[in-house]
Amino acid sequence: MNFETSYQLILDNVGRFIDLTELEKQKYISLLTEVKVKRKTFLMQAGDIAQYEYFITKGCLKVYTLDEDGAPHISMFAVEDYWTGDMASFMTKEPSRYFIKAKEDSELLGISRANYDLLFQEIPKFERFYRILYQKSLISYIRRSNHGISLTAEERYIEFKRKYPKTVNRITQKDLAGYIGITPEFMSKIISKVNRM
Amino acid sequence: MNFETSYQLILDNVGRFIDLTELEKQKYISLLTEVKVKRKTFLMQAGDIAQYEYFITKGCLKVYTLDEDGAPHISMFAVEDYWTGDMASFMTKEPSRYFIKAKEDSELLGISRANYDLLFQEIPKFERFYRILYQKSLISYIRRSNHGISLTAEERYIEFKRKYPKTVNRITQKDLAGYIGITPEFMSKIISKVNRM
DNA sequence: GAAAAAAAATGAACTAGTTTAAGACTTTTA
DNA sequence: TAAAAGTCTTAAACTAGTTCATTTTTTTTC
């Protein structure tokens, strides 16, 4: 993808919540870093300090941790038009416990911590953009953390399919199990049961 | 509690992230509504549209939903210096699925949706305040929704006790079970096991 | 396009957490 | 302050989800 196109994507995303002048758009874009990651390579690993927050313009990545037993727990699948990273590490500058690995060749736009801080000084309107972005994310995380605790694994799978019908086809059953919070074996059973219904 | 004191609490809370002039403080306070709720009464019920977001200056409330079987799922215990409400309903003006019930006589400061919108026009700095507030909440919800899925009930209980040692003593075991996501019977077993260790 | 590696399916034995029920203890209300 | 209502404990039978082991199918790599 040429960068014109990927800049257009991020400007459209920002444009949903705030209006920018041409000058502000140029300034904003000058603060971004273009990043490409090949399939099966890491954008970030546990132990790293998160240097960037990313906007995905192309591809698919998984964000996950490993528990003490080495079992993966997937916290999100990041696809086009999504923001990703480890915000806790990005803000505190402490080492992350997350891995971010590309499932497909992917293209991202990153903002460094220094530029993120600068952005608010240069274009204070971005406080509003992030206020609304975080507010919306918060609403969906609150819903997810309640659902996670009150629905059965089968219900969570049906919910995921309903909410992200395209993403289901881009990820393996094993990764979906890691997201839903069950073993791949049980995921397999659920899927064959749901398909039979 | 006199209102001087409760205003001081909310101004201190806001003051952690932004600096306000005396004039801005007065303006802000003029947008707030004082609310008292007696123990065992509701601040809000499922079906209501959330008219306010609340800051708690005194007391303890539980925020919960009921699932199809009528079983309660508690999403938070709100105590002094916390913010609460149903942000989804507050923003979209759609009916809430949450109940908020006082566990102790409580005092709150509410901001209505109209005043919340006005606040950003009058004191744009508040975009920054809420950007930071939501960002921090998001970080802790992301952590919680991952923990919820990867820890056992016993581990979640130990984690809760470590993180909110004071709150544990203000709520019943039954409510704690509703928060942890297990039955009161199993909560009872976990507590007697953990105390024996 | 063959070989190697990874993912998916299936089944049997197991465990964390639920359900139901009943009695003891504590708090609330009149 | 007695009665009622709610909370906590314990235990036995149950179910959703795990673990481990094996085979089949799909994807990746050279």
Side-chain angles (χ1 to χ4, degrees), chain B residues 22-171:
Chain B
E22 279 309 312
L23 225 80
E24 286 168 339
K25 286 180 186 175
Q26 281 172 37
K27 179 75 209 174
Y28 178 46
I29 283 179
S30 77
L31 297 176
L32 302 175
T33 306
E34 295 141 9
V35 180
K36 295 191 181 202
V37 258
K38 280 238 162 291
R39 185 174 140 74
K40 295 199 176 178
T41 64
F42 289 97
L43 182 60
M44 190 181 122
Q45 303 204 57
D48 295 352
I49 291 164
Q51 303 292 345
Y52 295 90
E53 282 279 279
Y54 299 98
F55 175 81
I56 295 114
T57 56
K58 181 166 167 284
C60 179
L61 304 94
K62 65 172 175 182
V63 183
Y64 65 100
T65 43
L66 296 179
D67 66 21
E68 302 100 35
D69 310 331
H73 295 277
I74 296 176
S75 70
M76 76 178 295
F77 300 105
V79 296
E80 295 83 7
D81 208 38
Y82 273 73
W83 293 86
T84 197
D86 175 357
M87 205 156 63
S89 169
F90 183 74
M91 291 311 291
T92 63
K93 297 177 179 174
E94 286 166 12
S96 176
R97 284 172 292 113
Y98 289 88
F99 298 84
I100 304 183
K101 192 176 190 179
K103 301 293 293 177
E104 304 169 3
D105 290 353
S106 302
E107 295 177 16
L108 307 92
L109 295 170
I111 187 160
S112 68
R113 181 60 202 283
N115 284 356
Y116 177 83
D117 290 340
L118 198 59
L119 182 63
F120 296 125
Q121 285 172 46
E122 303 264 335
I123 318 174
K125 247 181 270 187
F126 269 93
E127 295 280 10
R128 181 176 176 84
F129 170 71
Y130 279 107
R131 191 264 296 171
I132 299 173
L133 180 70
Y134 295 155
Q135 186 169 49
K136 286 183 178 285
S137 309
L138 192 50
I139 288 171
S140 70
Y141 263 99
I142 289 172
R143 187 166 300 145
R144 183 179 165 196
S145 86
N146 289 178
H147 269 180
I149 231 159
S150 69
L151 302 183
T152 63
E154 185 177 322
E155 291 166 326
R156 275 176 275 152
Y157 165 65
I158 291 168
E159 179 75 4
F160 185 89
K161 248 177 60 170
R162 193 187 59 72
K163 208 166 168 192
Y164 309 105
K166 287 172 201 159
T167 307
V168 172
N169 305 311
R170 295 170 77 171
I171 59 181

Side-chain angles (χ1 to χ4, degrees), chain A residues 140-158:
Chain A
S140 69
Y141 264 99
I142 290 172
R143 187 167 299 145
R144 183 180 163 195
S145 85
N146 288 178
H147 269 181
I149 230 159
S150 69
L151 302 183
T152 64
E154 184 176 324
E155 289 166 327
R156 276 176 274 151
Y157 165 66
I158 291 167

Side-chain angles (χ1 to χ4, degrees), chain B residues 39-40 152-153 181-183 185-186 189:
Chain B
R39 185 174 140 74
K40 295 199 176 178
T152 63
I182 55 174
T183 58
E185 292 86 348
F186 194 53
K189 272 182 207 168

Side-chain angles (χ1 to χ4, degrees), chain A residues 90-101:
Chain A
F90 183 75
M91 292 310 291
T92 63
K93 298 179 179 171
E94 286 166 11
S96 176
R97 284 170 294 112
Y98 288 89
F99 298 83
I100 305 182
K101 193 177 190 177

